[in-house]
Amino acid sequence: MSGRRAGTGPGPAAAGGAGPVTPAAGDPRAVDWRALVAELEEQERRLRLPRFGNDDAWRLGCLIAELAQARGAAVTIGIRRAGQLLFHRALPGTSADNDAWLDRKCRVVDRYAAASYLVGARFRAKGTTFEASSRLDPDRYAAHGGAFPLHIRDVGVVGTVAVSGLPQAEDHALVVEALERFLAELPGATGHPAPPTGAA
């Protein structure tokens, strides 16, 4: 696990270009929060799904686990839809504390229908913090990066995919990278319906 408490602090962006704009030293004052909000909102517009079933949850969860294991990242992964836990995996080096972080970040997505990182960044862009201005219990809600909405086109947000164990920008970047790969392999993900079985 990272030397930082799981899921806390702005943290550096993950390598590979998937991470959002963040300060190299992890100082919130160094972030252009408006630029970060715009980037995170663009990710949410782009990473929308044509559908999301139980088997999709298994494939996406396994993909996140494979990416994390390849990097030696100790993370816990959770995927939920309509209140049902469809996938959960805790890699070596994680603890029950990571599950608590997943719950708190997912509640933010459920309430705001936006990524937990984006919600926190929107408060920062207004010159305040989620903890100071949301009027929500910080023991139950955490606007830290790592939980991302499962948004089905023409339907809306139906669930969350979440990671805990890395600095928040890296948690978020891992989920975004996995969703990008998942969508690239998913029939119908380009915005056109998948052809019926047996179609030429």
Side-chain angles (χ1 to χ4, degrees), residues 59-159:
R59 286 191 289 270
L60 177 58
C62 289
L63 176 55
I64 296 172
E66 289 168 6
L67 291 172
Q69 288 177 310
R71 296 162 192 177
V75 298
T76 297
I77 306 152
I79 301 178
R80 313 171 193 213
R81 187 195 61 204
Q84 181 184 13
L85 183 63
L86 300 181
F87 183 95
H88 180 274
R89 185 168 181 186
L91 296 183
T94 58
S95 70
D97 191 51
N98 296 107
D99 289 312
W101 274 101
L102 287 183
D103 288 342
R104 293 167 66 213
K105 292 192 281 191
C106 287
R107 287 191 189 103
V108 169
V109 178
D110 291 342
R111 187 174 185 97
Y112 290 88
S116 53
Y117 198 24
L118 173 55
V119 173
R122 283 173 172 164
F123 278 91
R124 290 281 190 178
K126 294 176 183 177
T128 184
T129 65
F130 176 83
E131 293 78 10
S133 299
S134 69
R135 300 184 180 181
L136 296 173
D137 183 353
D139 288 335
R140 291 181 53 79
Y141 294 86
H144 295 265
F148 200 93
L150 294 170
H151 190 127
I152 298 179
R153 295 190 202 103
D154 302 320
V155 175
V157 176
V158 299

Side-chain angles (χ1 to χ4, degrees), residues 1-87:
M1 229 159 97
S2 165
R4 267 176 237 153
R5 188 179 177 190
T8 63
V21 179
T22 52
D27 182 358
R29 293 169 297 180
V31 181
D32 183 342
W33 291 104
R34 290 184 180 180
L36 178 57
V37 166
E39 183 176 350
L40 298 177
E41 288 176 340
E42 187 280 329
Q43 289 176 352
E44 290 199 5
R45 287 190 293 270
R46 178 166 48 87
L47 298 174
R48 295 186 176 183
L49 304 156
R51 63 181 184 278
F52 196 79
N54 292 35
D55 290 339
D56 295 316
W58 174 260
R59 286 191 289 270
L60 177 58
C62 289
L63 176 55
I64 296 172
E66 289 168 6
L67 291 172
Q69 288 177 310
R71 296 162 192 177
V75 298
T76 297
I77 306 152
I79 301 178
R80 313 171 193 213
R81 187 195 61 204
Q84 181 184 13
L85 183 63
L86 300 181
F87 183 95

